[in-house]
């Protein structure tokens, strides 16, 4: 966070230069309303408008959000992006480098180390790719020029300005995804405000440059969304002959079918899972459909990204990284 703090004073000084705004977004009515609201909270209106005047519309962002990989790829195609040997090897290295923080996070929040590692691996390849767009450009473009979800992204933009103003950070310095997600774990600003933690004890929750804070923050996010320590996430199932079971296949994300009902349809489900709710789903692959049964922890992963493909990639990457690390440990004995 060093450079961001170094330049923060410069940006604050720019806010004193009057109202000679650049083209940007400062003149948009919604931007004016945002500046007035933030001013009431103690965030200076002229500072907000100066920042927004320097935000740039990016058409590539609007193009990217219209065709996310989760919707245009089948499961086989999507899986190939994340379940690579290189990403698995990097996951093992990241785990080894941050073993203490991961063990502490697992103990404190109940989230397995491999799941935390997999989230960071899927999101940014363990910090190697945190995004190429300025966060202020992404959130402004989507907030003011993407009516379909403009209100959501304007709220995230306001939260981003709250974060950078309070922490005396340069709002023009940070880069992230095309949707404005930030840091190792790609938190949206609202998630940062609610779930980012100072896990290394230095007084600042730094998800951008500090993997320890990022690890604690991802674990806190999962715990806050109801992760069940020791719970099963998802398991493959083999559908029986006939057609009756097909009415139980769901298209949503939330488990809402009692497991006994799924058993009665002829699908084998382990007895130890009891009669909790499950999500019977079909994933389209290059070789036909795969059938899986998602449970509450699977749904928790989809709170990070509302996609079955995403949750399955996290689950399978977590498994592969753990297997590879365990195997390496056995060889070293």
């Amino acid at each position: 966070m060093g450079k961001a703090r170094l330049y923060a004073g410069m940006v604050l000084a720019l806010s004193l230069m009057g109202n000679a705004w650049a083209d940007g977004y400062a003149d948009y009515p919604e931007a004016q309303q945002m500046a007035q609201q933030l001013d009431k909270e103690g965030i200076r209106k002229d500072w907000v408008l100066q920042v927004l005047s320097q935000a740039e519309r990016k058409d590539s962002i609007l193009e990217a959000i219209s065709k996310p990989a989760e919707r245009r790829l089948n499961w086989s195609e999507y899986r190939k992006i994340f379940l690579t040997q290189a990403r698995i090897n990097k996951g093992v290295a990241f785990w080894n480098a941050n073993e203490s923080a991961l063990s502490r996070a697992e103990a404190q929040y109940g989230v397995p180390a491999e799941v935390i590692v997999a989230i960071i691996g899927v999101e940014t390849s363990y910090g190697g790719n945190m995004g190429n767009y300025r966060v202020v450009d992404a959130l402004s473009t989507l907030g003011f020029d993407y009516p379909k979800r403009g209100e959501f992204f304007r709220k995230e933009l306001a939260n981003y300005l709250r974060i950078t103003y309070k922490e005396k950070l340069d709002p023009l310095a940070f880069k992230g995804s095309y949707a404005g997600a930030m840091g190792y774990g790609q938190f949206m600003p609202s998630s940062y405000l609610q779930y980012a933690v100072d896990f290394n004890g230095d007084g600042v929750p730094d998800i951008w440059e500090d993997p320890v804070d990022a690890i604690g923050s991802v674990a806190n996010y999962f715990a806050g969304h109801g992760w069940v320590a020791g719970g099963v996430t998802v398991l493959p199932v083999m559908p029986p002959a006939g057609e009756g079971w097909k009415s139980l296949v769901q298209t949503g994300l939330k488990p809402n079918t009692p497991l006994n009902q799924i058993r009665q349809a002829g699908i084998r489900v382990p007895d130890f899972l009891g009669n909790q709710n499950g999500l019977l789903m079909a994933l389209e692959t290059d070789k036909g459909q795969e059938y899986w049964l998602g449970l509450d922890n699977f749904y928790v992963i989809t709170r990070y990204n509302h996609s079955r493909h995403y949750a399955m990639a996290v689950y399978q990457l977590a498994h592969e990284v753990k297997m590879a690390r365990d195997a390496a440990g056995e060889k070293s004995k």
Side-chain angles (χ1 to χ4, degrees):
M1 218 185 276
K3 285 186 178 179
R5 289 192 182 278
L6 178 65
Y7 298 135
M10 178 182 70
V11 174
L12 289 170
L14 285 171
S15 70
L16 302 176
M17 295 174 59
N19 295 323
W21 312 123
D23 292 334
Y25 285 99
D27 292 333
Y28 278 51
E30 297 93 340
Q32 295 286 329
Q33 293 170 9
M34 182 185 299
Q36 290 173 5
Q37 176 57 45
L38 291 175
D39 192 64
K40 294 176 182 177
E41 301 175 17
I43 301 173
R44 291 176 45 182
K45 178 180 178 180
D46 59 344
W47 180 86
V48 172
L49 293 177
Q50 176 63 33
V51 173
L52 295 182
S53 74
Q54 297 175 78
E56 300 175 0
R57 172 188 166 117
K58 299 293 183 182
D59 289 336
S60 56
I61 289 175
L62 297 172
E63 181 179 353
I65 202 168
S66 69
K67 52 179 183 181
E70 290 84 359
R71 289 205 297 263
R72 60 186 169 82
L73 302 179
N74 70 24
W75 168 230
S76 296
E77 295 165 335
Y78 189 86
R79 187 182 188 279
K80 289 176 184 176
I81 298 173
F82 300 105
L83 272 293
T84 64
Q85 194 58 53
R87 200 178 297 256
I88 293 166
N89 293 344
K90 287 180 180 178
V92 173
F94 181 84
W95 192 335
N96 290 338
N98 297 281
E99 183 174 8
S100 176
L102 286 160
S103 296
R104 187 158 52 93
E106 183 168 349
Q108 181 170 335
Y109 296 105
V111 183
E114 62 266 25
V115 173
I116 302 170
V117 170
I119 284 286
I120 294 174
V122 168
E123 290 291 341
T124 62
S125 192
Y126 315 102
N129 180 16
M130 297 192 199
N132 298 313
Y133 291 103
R134 292 194 309 177
V135 174
V136 71
D137 292 338
L139 296 177
S140 295
T141 296
L142 296 171
F144 301 117
D145 284 328
Y146 186 59
K148 183 177 179 180
R149 298 189 66 196
E151 182 178 359
F152 168 80
F153 284 106
R154 286 194 298 275
K155 289 180 179 178
E156 293 295 345
L157 175 59
N159 283 330
Y160 177 68
L161 295 173
R162 291 183 180 102
I163 293 165
T164 52
Y165 191 87
K166 176 184 176 182
E167 301 292 340
K168 296 183 172 58
L169 302 172
D170 179 359
L172 306 179
F174 291 100
K175 290 187 176 181
S177 74
Y178 68 79
M182 312 177 296
Y184 275 89
Q186 294 289 275
F187 273 22
M188 294 299 288
S190 59
S191 294
Y192 177 92
L193 288 172
Q194 190 166 0
Y195 299 108
V197 295
D198 171 25
F199 207 52
N200 67 1
D202 68 356
V204 180
D206 181 2
I207 63 171
W208 298 276
E209 296 179 3
D210 192 326
V212 174
D213 283 356
I215 286 165
S217 299
V218 168
N220 187 38
Y221 184 99
F222 272 67
H225 283 81
W227 183 269
V228 179
V232 173
T233 300
V234 64
L235 65 162
V237 293
M238 182 67 69
E243 301 287 326
W245 60 273
K246 291 186 177 180
S247 63
L248 298 179
V249 175
Q250 299 170 262
T251 58
L253 297 173
K254 191 172 180 63
N256 57 20
T257 305
L259 294 186
N260 280 347
Q261 186 176 348
I262 295 174
R263 293 184 181 102
Q264 289 166 6
I267 296 174
R268 297 182 65 180
V269 178
D271 291 339
F272 75 87
L273 292 175
N275 192 33
Q276 62 183 291
N277 285 344
L279 171 74
L280 184 61
M281 53 187 168
L283 299 180
E284 192 67 40
T285 76
D286 292 341
K287 298 180 179 180
Q289 291 186 318
E290 289 181 1
Y291 294 94
W292 293 81
L293 182 64
L295 300 166
D296 285 339
N297 283 348
F298 184 82
Y299 181 70
V300 173
I301 299 176
T302 68
R303 299 308 84 202
Y304 216 97
N305 182 319
H306 297 180
S307 160
R308 292 174 170 185
H309 287 172
Y310 176 89
M312 285 297 301
V314 168
Y315 168 76
Q316 293 195 3
L317 180 61
H319 175 75
E320 293 296 331
V321 169
K322 187 176 189 306
M323 291 279 288
R325 187 171 185 269
D326 289 348
E330 287 296 321
K331 288 180 181 179
S332 66
K333 290 182 180 179

